[in-house]
Amino acid sequence: KAGVTQTPRYLIKTRGQQVTLSCSPISGHRSVSWYQQTPGQGLQFLFEYFSETQRNKGNFPGRFSGRQFSNSRSEMNVSTLELGDSALYLCASMRAGGPDTQYFGPGTRLTVL
Amino acid sequence: AQSVTQPDIHITVSEGASLELRCNYSYGATPYLFWYVQSPGQGLQLLLKYFSGDTLVQGIKGFEAEFKRSQSSFNLRKPSVHWSDAAEYFCAVDSTGGGNKLTFGTGTQLKVEL
């Protein structure tokens, strides 16, 4: 079974631009979560989608948003990029409501110049 | 709010030596606990998890962890470290009861000396 895939793997943007990252979960998984990893703040939870609905949300500004499609694929969007948004963005999928295990993708490395 | 503490930022061990990585958590209810490993430039790989039952859990790559409620700890152990174990290790607790919102510790970077 294929793992979690994330596209693109690397991205360079400039301040003020917006960006969309994509995540395809493991087949049959209905929950997708997003995390931001930075050297200063570590791993932080952004949000989680289940059956196209945002079920949990972390403490990030409204510039960070996401959505999930009927095939469970998910996208996250960051608008008006700031230098501090440079990070590794990790997507994780899980089968259902839990308790269960999240399986992580390789991440998208976003650099904001 | 829940939190996870990994007191050791860096640990260096010799190949073949035993390893223990510490993890303490703060959470009001019975926690769901996880250990993940991350190699440079990679995502997170699950080593093991604790949901309930036997407090000593076995994972992949010869790792094990013991849940101690009285000490709010979930330490990761391996009896004999291999050079390929060099990586960063993260302890995490789930705060929703479903495993879908993880709070991570700051990580422990493991270096293995040959």
Side-chain angles (χ1 to χ4, degrees), chain B:
Chain B
Q2 67 285 344
S3 64
V4 178
T5 301
Q6 293 181 248
D8 303 306
I9 298 174
H10 298 279
I11 283 185
T12 300
V13 299
S14 299
E15 189 175 38
S18 63
L19 172 70
E20 182 170 32
L21 303 182
R22 295 182 290 166
C23 172
N24 292 95
Y25 66 89
S26 172
Y27 185 57
T30 300
Y32 296 142
L33 295 160
F34 306 82
W35 275 99
Y36 285 88
V37 61
Q38 185 177 38
S39 298
Q42 302 297 314
L44 300 172
Q45 181 183 23
L46 178 73
L47 287 175
L48 47 77
K49 63 189 178 188
Y50 172 79
F51 287 168
S52 64
D54 193 346
T55 57
L56 182 64
V57 294
Q58 302 296 320
I60 62 171
K61 303 185 180 184
F63 286 94
E64 67 176 28
E66 186 171 12
F67 170 59
K68 293 185 177 180
R69 185 187 302 275
S70 61
Q71 298 177 19
S72 297
S73 69
F74 188 55
N75 293 348
L76 182 71
R77 300 194 293 251
K78 187 170 185 178
S80 178
V81 170
H82 188 262
W83 64 266
S84 60
D85 292 325
E88 190 156 22
Y89 292 79
F90 293 92
C91 180
V93 62
D94 165 65
S95 60
T96 64
N100 49 355
K101 180 181 179 182
L102 299 179
T103 298
F104 285 89
T106 51
T108 297
Q109 186 71 49
L110 173 64
K111 179 180 176 182
V112 180
E113 291 182 332
L114 301 177

